[in-house]
Amino acid sequence: MAELGAHESKLYSDLAPLYDKTFAKFFYSRERTVIQDLNLPSGAQILEVGVGTGTSFPAYPRDCHVVGIDMAPKMLSHAQEKIAKNGWRHLEVREMDALNLTFTDDAFDYVMAFHVVSVVPDPVRMMAEMRRVCRPGGTIVVVNHFTSESRVWGTITRSLDPITRRLGWSTNLKLKPFLEETAFTGSKHYRYSRFSLYTVVVGTNDKE
């Protein structure tokens, strides 16, 4: 079986309702905590890359404007249903490729990517696009699972990579090389607990 792009995977399209009932419940508490910790100012312009079904939507303050983009129409359909059902006027979704964002340079104050960089075929290019559309001095946020530096756990997660790639994501993304390749080494990165599988990366967009 050939590798699938994220938007082609059954997990990210045909199984969108199942995604909401399983992964959404698992991801939301982390996304909510990250968003709350940012203390988003009133009027902030925010882009969320790979928004999926909009699991993070309830966490965003209503005095901000948030655009969520994704390549999976069925996922976006569920996100749009949430927007309509809750009357969220501060949120909107668009179908768009994270590797080729159609926004102008410096369009957003904050650019988020929750559980996405190991899904896209070229995470370095995605980060370059995120930094391009984020204004100088703006904030870039990435939350993702990165391959463990432990020899044992790293070997285990890397061994799963051929399988997970067929489903639409990779388990072979290392944090340090990712930060170096994306020129995002000035960021801070942390986990909310020593047992967490996910790393939070936050940094200022220091482009010239």
Side-chain angles (χ1 to χ4, degrees), residues 13-191:
S13 56
D14 291 350
L15 298 184
L18 178 61
Y19 184 95
D20 248 8
K21 293 177 182 178
T22 54
F23 289 91
K25 294 179 180 179
F26 180 69
F27 289 154
Y28 175 65
S29 61
R30 183 181 310 108
E31 294 168 349
R32 179 186 60 199
T33 301
V34 171
I35 291 171
Q36 289 177 343
D37 286 350
L38 290 171
N39 293 314
L40 297 169
S42 178
Q45 297 296 312
I46 302 163
L47 172 65
E48 185 177 327
V49 177
V51 73
T53 62
T55 60
S56 63
F57 282 177
Y60 286 108
R62 290 177 180 256
D63 57 357
C64 297
H65 181 250
V66 183
V67 180
I69 67 104
D70 205 286
M71 281 284 284
K74 291 185 179 179
M75 300 283 273
L76 289 177
S77 177
H78 283 273
Q80 186 60 57
E81 287 176 7
K82 292 176 183 176
I83 292 173
K85 179 180 179 180
N86 292 281
W88 286 330
R89 296 184 178 181
H90 62 303
L91 300 169
E92 63 173 291
V93 293
R94 302 183 192 180
E95 186 175 341
M96 194 180 299
D97 184 356
L99 304 185
N100 295 283
L101 298 174
T102 59
F103 301 111
T104 59
D105 295 358
D106 310 335
F108 298 94
D109 303 306
Y110 294 80
V111 181
M112 322 283 209
F114 299 131
H115 316 105
V116 179
V117 295
S118 55
V119 171
V120 296
D122 189 343
V124 174
R125 179 171 176 175
M126 188 191 85
M127 280 293 290
E129 280 292 272
M130 290 173 62
R131 297 189 70 184
R132 179 183 67 79
V133 302
C134 184
R135 66 170 175 79
T139 301
I140 304 286
V141 181
V142 171
V143 179
N144 212 80
H145 170 265
F146 293 94
T147 302
S148 174
E149 296 296 329
S150 162
R151 189 168 72 174
V152 174
W153 287 111
T155 299
I156 292 173
T157 55
R158 285 192 297 273
S159 69
L160 296 173
D161 194 60
I163 298 172
T164 61
R165 280 184 182 275
R166 292 177 179 177
L167 295 172
W169 75 89
S170 172
T171 57
N172 195 28
L173 185 64
K174 293 184 178 181
L175 178 60
K176 185 176 179 180
F178 170 73
L179 295 177
E180 291 175 347
E181 288 185 65
T182 57
F184 206 48
T185 51
S187 61
K188 64 177 182 179
H189 50 88
Y190 58 92
R191 296 181 181 183

